Structures are given as C-alpha cells and as structure tokens.
Amino acid sequence: MQDEPLNLAFALEHAARFHGHVEIVTRQVDDGKIHRYTYADSLRRTKKLANALRKLDVQVGDRIATMAWNTFRHFEAWYAIAGQGAICHTVNPRLFEQQIEFIINHAEDSILFLDAQFVPMLEQLQEKLPSIKHYIVLTDEAHMPTTTLPKTVAYETLIQDEPDEFDWPTFPEETPSSLCYTSGTTGNPKGVIYTHRSNFLHSYAINCKDVIGLAATDTVLKVVPMFHANSWGFAYACPMVGSKLVLPGSQLDGESLYELLDEEQVTISAAVPTVWNMLLAHLSDSDRQLPYLQEVFVGGSAVPRRVVESFDNEYEVTVVHAWGMTEMSPIGTICRLKPFMKQFDYQRQVDIRLKQGTPVFGVAMKIVDDDGNELPRDGLAVGRLLVKGPWIVKRYYKEPDNAVDDGSWFDTGDIATIDEYGYMQITDRAKDLIKSGGEWISSVDLENAAMGHPQVALAAVIGKFHPKWEERPLLVVKPIDNSTVSASELFDYLTDKVAKWWLPDDIAFVDDIPLTATGKISKVQLREQFHDYELPEARVSS
Ligand code: ADP
C-alpha cells in the first residue's frame, strides 16, 4: 500500500473539492448576525491564514492557542494550524484566570487567537504570558476593540493580502495536531495531545453508521464548543463526508439554538444535557416543534430520562447517549439498541438507552477490581473502567506515563458495570469532581478554599442533582467548637477565592464528617448521609 501520511487538512481539501458548494453557517459573536459561506470558501481562507502563520514563523510542533466560540474563523484556524504541522491548543475560556495562565504557560503557546470578548481578560493576564508573541482577534477592522495587548491584529487584516494557495507539508502522521487541557481532581489541568493519526481514526470511527454516522445529507449543529474535548470530533467528521455545518457562536440559549435548528433545517446535533434542558424548556414555553431534527447526541454527563422521553414523545427526535473523555478524543461508547431489543416495551428500551453504551470499534474496554483483576460482564459487578486504543491518551503532555495495569490501559476514573450485551453503565465516579453544565468543578480545590476559613474545622464537597446544570456542589462544613460562622459569611469568604460558578449552591453544617480508616473524608458515607438532601433549586422544581 502507498505510504501517504495522514494530514487532517485532507478533510477540508476533500470537502472543498467534492462538497465545495455545501455551506458552513455561523452565528457571529460580534453582532449575532448570520454568516454563510461554503467549504470551498473555507479552504481558500484557511490557506490564506496558513500563509500568514508561516510569515509569523510558525514551525512544525509550535503550540498556537485559540480562545474562541464555534465560528467559521475558529474552524479555519484549526485547519491552518494543524495542516502545517503546528499544534492547535484550544483554551477553555470558562476556566478561571489562574488556570488559563497556567495552561498557556505550560503549553508555551506562541500565538493566541481570541474572540474580541476575551480581550479584557487577556489584557489582565498578558504580563504573565511571556511566550505569546502575537494576539490575533477573530474579527474584522470594523469590530476590532481598542486594546493594550501588544502585537495585536484583526484576523481579517492578517489574512487579507495573503495568497489562497498553500501546499500542506508532509510530516509523519503521528505528528501532534491539537492540544486540549482537562481538569484534574486537584491542582493544575493536564494536557492531552491528539495527533493527525488519532484524529483521523477517531473521525472514521464516529462516522460509522451505528456510531454518529454523519452523511452529506445531514445538517449538523455543532453545539459542543471547539474548546471542549476535541469538539467531539465533529470538526473533522463533518467535512470528511460533506455535512452542512452550523456553528452557533456564543449564543447557546434555548431560543438561539431553536432558531438555528429551524432556519437551517438541522438534522443532527450534539451537546451536554444542560443544553438540551434549556432547549426543551424553550420549546415547551413557546409551543414549538422540531420537524427537521432527527437525532441528538448527548454526552459529557449521563442523559436524564426526562430528556430522552421528552424528545421521543413530544418531538419525535431520537436521543443517542454517548460517553467519552477529553483523554479519548473523546468518543468511547455509544448507546444504540440491538435489533432484538426493539421488541422490548418502551420503558425497558429507555432503561437500556440510559446506559452509556457499547464501545466504538477501536476502543477496548474492561472493568477491574482494586487489584486490577478483570470483573465479569454481567451487569452486576462494579469496577474501575479501563480503556485502550489508538485515540486514547498514552501520557499527559509533559507528564510521566499515566498508564496502569499492564502498562497499556488508561484508567478513566469512572466506575461502571458492563452487561452481557456489552453495554457499559457508569455507576459512580472515582475522581472527586463535580460536573456542572459540562464543566468540571474540583471538589478538593473548593474544600481547600473553605478550609482556609479560621472557623472551619473540616469541609467536604459533594455533587447533588440540579434541574438545569445536572450537578452542583453542596459544601458540608464541620465548624470549630463554639463557632459562630454562618452560611452567608462563608459564601462571602469564598467569593474571591474561587470562580463565581464554583460557589456551592448550599452549605450544610454538621457536627461531624465521616472519615475512612486512613483518615480521609469518606465521600461514600457522606453521599449516603446526604442521599435525600435536595439543593434549593431542586426543591423548587420538584
Ligand atoms: P467530555 O466533555 O467528553 O465529557 P471530559 O473529559 O470533560 O469530556 O469528561 C469526561 C468525563 O465526563 C467522563 O470520564 C465521565 O466521568 C463524564 N461523562 C462523560 N460522558 C458521560 C455520560 N454519558 N454519562 C456519565 N458521565 C459522563
């Protein structure tokens, strides 16, 4: 066979040549207006940017950061950076400033592409980011903010005089294409490097019919942000088959998404449950339907039963549950019924569809006990979920090996069962994290912040159900003897110590917090103790 090293730029080249008239539609972040162009236009502009980056002396292996919503310019940046062998580092703007500072410095990014709304944040941080030599604002001169950032240029100005021809260089397919940091249970985020090869294989895998299976007949609303978990692979999978691509910019509320779903006649979309909660609330308030939408993919957190049933019964849209991780590019499993299950009654089918699903071809998966022994696939045994495969992280960026067991399995930090038909179901999380609207909150960091208060003897944080965000933190506090500290005093105390959206939804005072034999807080017992507790917002909705 021929030795043709894989380059992700081939996906856009292919789309431009064979689906050149197909549209990419963006809700612009500057003014909310709709921008339309085609894959052919996109490739031309991507090549202009590739030339501009080369002039800025970008070399193979350089890290170039983006801090941006899903837009056509961000899409072009992905391809122009990776296509020439540099590494596109997607920075999550929802992280708090110290984390952003850490990851940009850790990656040693040399250029930062950013949406105009993030300019003030970067002005605050710029002196602490010595590696960044150029700031490129993803806008035109008309919308360019005045800024104190050095060496800053509007994207359109940067590319305007560049030629739209560019020969993608040849490099080994194991060359890194992109970098995404994921929050650890404590301390600093960790980087996951994707390669051209891993992204190629992952994109082929998710385009199988029984996985996501995009087609040229699809219009895809890509809600999952491009700064999240490799954008679930959609930025490559869509052009590979020529699906029409709809990019929602920064407006992710129910009404804005509904408008795009309806006006662009979207057939497929993908997002975390919180997005679907907001859309369903909007649909029911406004008495609207979804005549074009066929399938929605839900992942990032477990899909709630009410989301599946509501889409099924009120809108005739099929919800497909998926599970994955930033470390897995990210798709690991997908939940579709096997043919014989179509005979089951509806509730039994939904029970299965709420599981995280069966592995995508290319991902090996097993559950093990604490000694690493594989547990039976009987739907009952509960164990640590391990995975391996060609699009699963080997080690974190600039970190020693993270592999466990026989050296090749990756420990997901999820606790799961696997049933006789291969369906995996997550039952718990070994990592001490809370997932709120698709974003991580570190329980440990929040606990440490609370423990800094002089009247707090011990603090523990657990996640509790929230009707909009799925999970929110509850802070459990054991005060020191004779303490007079109140909940409002503690809230005030935490306000400047953690990001606003990390603040707990409630604070419960207790006489004692259960500890394990080794003196650590026993989250298992604490969760048991607060089993029937409901957060204020959950009480209102129930
Ligand atoms: P993503 O954005 O794809 O969810 P992250 O790396 O942020 O990637 O988070 C991965 C973790 O999120 C998983 O290890 C798991 O704990 C949780 N998760 C992802 N998908 C699901 C799901 N469908 N059900 C339950 N938990 C999930």
Side-chain angles (χ1 to χ4, degrees):
M1 291 297 115
Q2 294 182 356
D3 244 344
E4 175 83 24
L6 306 174
N7 181 330
L8 288 166
F10 300 164
L12 188 55
E13 287 279 352
H14 176 84
R17 186 162 304 173
F18 301 108
H19 307 279
H21 61 287
V22 175
E23 282 183 327
I24 300 178
V25 179
T26 300
R27 188 191 296 282
Q28 303 206 69
V29 288
D30 296 324
D31 50 17
K33 290 194 184 137
I34 297 296
H35 172 275
R36 283 171 199 284
Y37 73 167
T38 64
Y39 277 120
D41 299 329
S42 181
L43 179 66
R44 275 192 291 276
R45 286 171 46 90
T46 298
K47 290 187 166 181
K48 282 160 127 350
L49 176 60
N51 282 309
L53 289 178
R54 194 163 269 179
K55 269 200 196 145
L56 294 179
D57 198 29
V58 168
Q59 306 286 329
V60 171
D62 284 359
R63 276 78 61 216
I64 313 286
T66 65
M67 194 191 284
W69 299 104
N70 292 2
T71 68
F72 65 102
R73 293 190 184 105
H74 194 185
F75 180 83
E76 291 163 8
W78 269 43
Y79 276 94
I81 295 167
Q84 63 185 285
I87 304 174
C88 180
H89 170 200
T90 48
V91 179
N92 181 348
R94 293 177 183 146
L95 297 178
F96 49 93
E97 285 181 18
Q98 294 94 314
Q99 290 178 316
I100 292 175
E101 179 192 331
F102 170 82
I103 65 176
I104 290 178
N105 282 322
H106 188 261
E108 299 172 88
D109 298 317
S110 57
I111 296 175
L112 175 61
F113 286 86
L114 71 167
D115 281 333
Q117 81 178 87
F118 304 125
V119 165
M121 187 204 299
L122 267 298
E123 285 173 344
Q124 300 283 324
L125 280 178
Q126 52 151 316
E127 282 180 7
K128 299 178 189 154
L129 305 175
S131 63
I132 305 244
K133 304 286 179 288
H134 303 276
Y135 292 88
I136 300 169
V137 184
L138 292 153
T139 191
D140 53 19
E141 282 305 328
H143 296 93
M144 188 67 180
T146 49
T147 176
T148 58
L149 286 176
K151 297 226 178 150
T152 304
V153 62
Y155 182 96
E156 294 301 328
T157 310
L158 179 79
I159 68 167
Q160 71 188 1
D161 296 328
E162 295 298 333
D164 61 8
E165 288 298 321
F166 186 88
D167 289 329
W168 304 111
T170 301
F171 40 73
E173 63 193 32
E174 293 81 8
T175 301
S177 62
S178 23
L179 168 61
C180 190
Y181 282 73
T182 179
S183 301
T185 44
T186 178
N188 291 316
K190 301 195 195 78
V192 177
I193 288 271
Y194 309 108
T195 67
H196 286 264
R197 177 174 188 271
S198 70
N199 268 321
F200 239 88
L201 292 173
H202 178 259
S203 306
Y204 273 123
I206 68 173
N207 264 341
C208 290
K209 192 171 173 188
D210 261 353
V211 186
I212 290 171
L214 300 176
T217 44
D218 281 315
T219 295
V220 179
L221 175 63
K222 199 164 80 64
V223 184
V224 185
M226 292 170 77
F227 53 75
H228 246 196
N230 202 24
S231 189
W232 295 7
F234 279 80
Y236 309 120
C238 290
M240 268 173 75
V241 295
S243 305
K244 176 178 163 184
L245 186 53
V246 182
L247 302 171
S250 57
Q251 295 181 25
L252 304 180
D253 58 286
E255 182 170 0
S256 305
L257 292 183
Y258 169 77
E259 263 173 37
L260 291 176
L261 290 168
D262 191 58
E263 281 163 23
E264 303 305 325
Q265 306 193 356
V266 169
T267 57
I268 285 184
S269 189
V272 295
T274 296
V275 168
W276 303 119
N277 286 337
M278 292 192 292
L279 178 73
L280 289 170
H282 171 73
L283 291 173
S284 96
D285 291 348
S286 55
D287 200 19
R288 288 178 158 142
Q289 284 296 315
L290 295 167
Y292 310 106
L293 193 59
Q294 293 163 11
E295 280 188 335
V296 294
F297 292 85
V298 186
S301 296
V303 63
R305 182 177 282 268
R306 65 178 186 286
V307 169
V308 174
E309 293 185 351
S310 180
F311 269 116
D312 269 351
N313 302 326
E314 291 162 53
Y315 304 102
E316 291 180 47
V317 173
T318 304
V319 169
V320 183
H321 194 191
W323 165 86
M325 299 179 74
T326 303
E327 289 90 333
M328 301 176 66
S329 300
I331 307 287
T333 62
I334 196 98
C335 196
R336 292 190 183 273
L337 295 177
K338 295 184 191 294
F340 68 91
M341 295 172 174
K342 305 260 160 85
Q343 319 299 323
F344 294 172
D345 67 44
Y346 179 67
Q347 286 306 328
R348 191 163 167 210
Q349 288 187 9
V350 175
D351 289 344
I352 298 167
R353 289 167 60 201
L354 295 179
K355 296 188 176 195
Q356 277 68 20
T358 53
V360 172
F361 174 68
V363 175
M365 185 174 87
K366 66 178 178 181
I367 47 171
V368 297
D369 64 17
D370 285 343
D371 298 324
N373 303 312
E374 185 165 359
L375 293 167
R377 295 163 179 251
D378 58 7
L380 298 171
V382 175
R384 281 162 42 217
L385 180 65
L386 307 187
V387 290
K388 68 173 178 174
W391 56 83
I392 289 164
V393 72
K394 185 167 168 188
R395 74 178 69 84
Y396 291 107
Y397 185 48
K398 299 184 182 169
E399 296 267 339
D401 268 12
N402 178 269
V404 292
D405 203 7
D406 64 3
S408 55
W409 291 86
F410 172 77
D411 189 337
T412 63
D414 287 321
I415 306 291
T417 58
I418 302 176
D419 71 19
E420 60 192 308
Y421 304 113
Y423 288 79
M424 184 273 285
Q425 182 160 32
I426 293 182
T427 58
D428 202 355
R429 211 181 270 150
K431 42 198 173 193
D432 207 354
L433 291 163
I434 290 161
K435 206 163 203 192
S436 164
E439 301 284 354
W440 290 117
I441 295 174
S442 159
S443 317
V444 181
D445 287 350
L446 194 49
E447 285 158 8
N448 288 342
M451 298 274 279
H453 190 282
Q455 293 196 38
V456 172
L458 207 51
V461 171
I462 52 173
K464 292 299 296 180
F465 168 76
H466 186 282
K468 179 171 179 191
W469 304 110
E470 291 306 318
E471 212 178 11
R472 291 289 307 157
L474 165 69
L475 172 62
V476 182
V477 168
K478 176 187 173 186
I480 57 166
D481 291 345
N482 306 321
S483 158
T484 52
V485 71
S486 66
S488 67
E489 228 177 298
L490 271 181
F491 276 118
D492 286 350
Y493 174 78
L494 289 172
T495 305
D496 61 352
K497 303 199 170 46
V498 295
K500 195 160 164 264
W501 61 274
W502 275 40
L503 285 172
D505 274 34
D506 201 4
I507 301 179
F509 290 95
V510 291
D511 293 336
D512 234 334
I513 289 181
L515 301 180
T516 63
T518 53
K520 286 192 194 157
I521 292 171
S522 169
K523 291 285 169 87
V524 176
Q525 274 178 273
L526 196 65
R527 282 197 208 108
E528 193 55 38
Q529 195 175 319
F530 280 86
H531 183 264
D532 296 330
Y533 166 91
E534 286 185 315
L535 290 174
E537 193 102 359
R539 272 176 239 153
V540 172
S541 76
S542 64

